[in-house]
Amino acid sequence: MRVSVFTEPHRGASYDDQLRFARLVEETGFEGFFRADHYRAMGDEPGLPGPTDAWLTLAALARETSRIRLGTLVTSATFRLPGPLAVLVAQVDQMSGGRVELGIGAGWYEREHTAYGIPFPAVTERFDRLAEQLEIVTGLWRTPPGETYSFTGDHYRLVDAPALPKPVQQPGPPVIVGGRGPKRTPELAARYADEFNMPFKTVGETAAAYERVREACDRTGRAASGRPPLVLSAGVVVAIGRTDADAQRRAAPLHVKSALPPEDPVVGSPAQLVDRLGEFAAIGATRVHLRLIDFDDLDHVELIAAEVLPQLDGPG
């Protein structure tokens, strides 16, 4: 089981907070540091000191770390045009020496769009745009050096793009597509992604999502095209402690009113987290992204590293 840490800086974290956290994640043996791509908190709290841009942050972390994977869960397709996004992610991949992953979704949180003047079309259009963005970004990365890339869709048009710069990873950084959607999300993951992620739901709900994406892979002929199987991953909200009081203290933010849909957190002991990860492994997950809430709670990272990672098969 590969284990990364997932964070939500929009709840309230400076760049220095994220740097300290990411360095500890690297030092303690986790595989990666991933962050959300949001521009405001989900509840009524202000999220001081304010938002930090996901890709600007990851670019800086790329120069301040040496081993961990770095990426988004997930970048909103409404935030950036696909051509510049391909350039941006390729550059950060170069800056990291080939450690970047692009998690990307259609976007869902209307309040942050209206707050910062970002267009927020209807859900069907958002998914249409996401599909075109996936085609464009992966197409630009895969274009051989010296050739150009063109694309004409309903929402984007590229003419003779030089398809530069090239990322270090070839044919491109891993792409993560995930979510709870029953139709278009599995289809997009099957066609374009390297990893499908089901975020923060029960083992049963996650198993059903995995089955939908496997069926989509069969329909789209993914295996026949020679592409490797999708990595199946799960997002897990974590609040564990050496005592029940510690776990409940860490779980307190989970009870604050939020725009997020219902989640299935692990609140309790390290052994309970090990058991839950075993349940995810049994349904086919080979990677998990553990969502840790408090950037000041470095002991939480160290506890998981010391008492959970050694009990899992494979690298952290």
Side-chain angles (χ1 to χ4, degrees):
M1 181 69 75
R2 300 158 56 196
V3 184
S4 292
V5 168
F6 168 64
T7 63
E8 296 182 319
H10 57 273
R11 289 175 176 264
S14 67
Y15 170 72
D16 287 339
D17 294 330
Q18 294 171 75
L19 173 59
R20 181 177 65 249
F21 207 80
R23 282 175 167 167
L24 183 61
V25 166
E26 181 165 82
E27 292 167 6
T28 50
F30 291 87
E31 183 194 38
F33 173 89
F34 286 72
R35 58 155 288 166
D37 188 5
H38 286 295
Y39 286 122
R40 68 172 299 160
M42 302 295 172
D44 294 330
E45 71 278 9
L48 296 175
T52 52
D53 182 82
W55 283 103
L56 183 61
T57 299
L58 293 174
L61 293 178
R63 309 302 289 178
E64 299 280 2
T65 58
S66 61
R67 181 189 60 79
I68 50 173
R69 307 291 298 175
L70 299 166
T72 49
L73 287 176
V74 294
T75 282
S76 175
T78 57
F79 288 173
R80 301 167 186 89
L81 297 172
L85 178 62
V87 171
L88 184 160
V89 177
Q91 181 180 356
V92 180
D93 196 51
Q94 291 180 355
M95 294 168 70
S96 71
R99 293 184 285 123
V100 160
E101 304 187 28
L102 171 63
I104 186 168
W108 64 272
Y109 189 35
E110 183 174 8
R111 193 179 179 198
E112 68 186 334
H113 291 75
T114 56
Y116 287 99
I118 303 168
F120 188 72
V123 63
T124 298
E125 181 178 332
R126 295 202 306 276
F127 270 92
D128 290 344
R129 287 180 177 272
L130 173 61
E132 291 190 15
Q133 289 216 2
L134 285 162
E135 177 70 35
I136 292 165
V137 170
T138 57
L140 286 166
W141 289 340
R142 294 170 186 271
T143 299
E147 297 185 14
T148 60
Y149 175 84
S150 297
F151 174 88
T152 299
D154 292 332
H155 303 285
Y156 306 105
R157 182 169 181 259
L158 284 71
V159 179
D160 295 335
L164 296 171
K166 293 301 181 195
V168 172
Q169 299 175 92
Q170 288 297 318
V175 172
I176 305 171
V177 170
R180 306 167 184 87
K183 295 180 180 179
R184 297 200 68 179
T185 297
E187 191 84 9
L188 292 173
R191 291 186 181 278
Y192 298 106
D194 301 282
E195 176 177 329
F196 172 79
N197 176 259
M198 181 61 165
F200 318 129
K201 304 302 283 185
T202 66
V203 174
E205 289 170 304
T206 302
Y210 288 174
E211 184 58 31
R212 290 192 295 268
V213 82
R214 289 188 184 104
E215 292 172 354
C217 287
D218 290 341
R219 287 195 306 272
T220 59
R222 183 184 177 100
S225 69
R227 296 190 63 196
L230 272 172
V231 172
L232 299 177
S233 70
V236 185
V237 182
V238 175
I240 65 169
R242 294 177 177 85
T243 67
D244 184 63
D246 283 343
Q248 293 301 324
R249 171 178 55 81
R250 288 177 170 135
L254 303 177
H255 305 301
V256 175
K257 184 178 179 181
S258 169
L260 290 168
E263 300 168 335
D264 187 44
V266 177
V267 179
S269 67
Q272 286 174 271
L273 178 55
V274 171
D275 289 344
R276 178 69 62 84
L277 299 187
E279 293 172 356
F280 279 118
I283 63 170
T286 59
R287 190 184 203 190
V288 290
H289 302 276
L290 305 182
R291 193 180 98 196
L292 306 183
I293 295 173
D294 187 353
F295 277 92
D296 291 326
D297 190 359
L298 302 182
D299 180 66
H300 204 186
V301 177
E302 293 171 339
L303 175 62
I304 296 169
E307 300 195 22
V308 176
L309 295 189
Q311 300 188 59
L312 306 177
D313 294 331

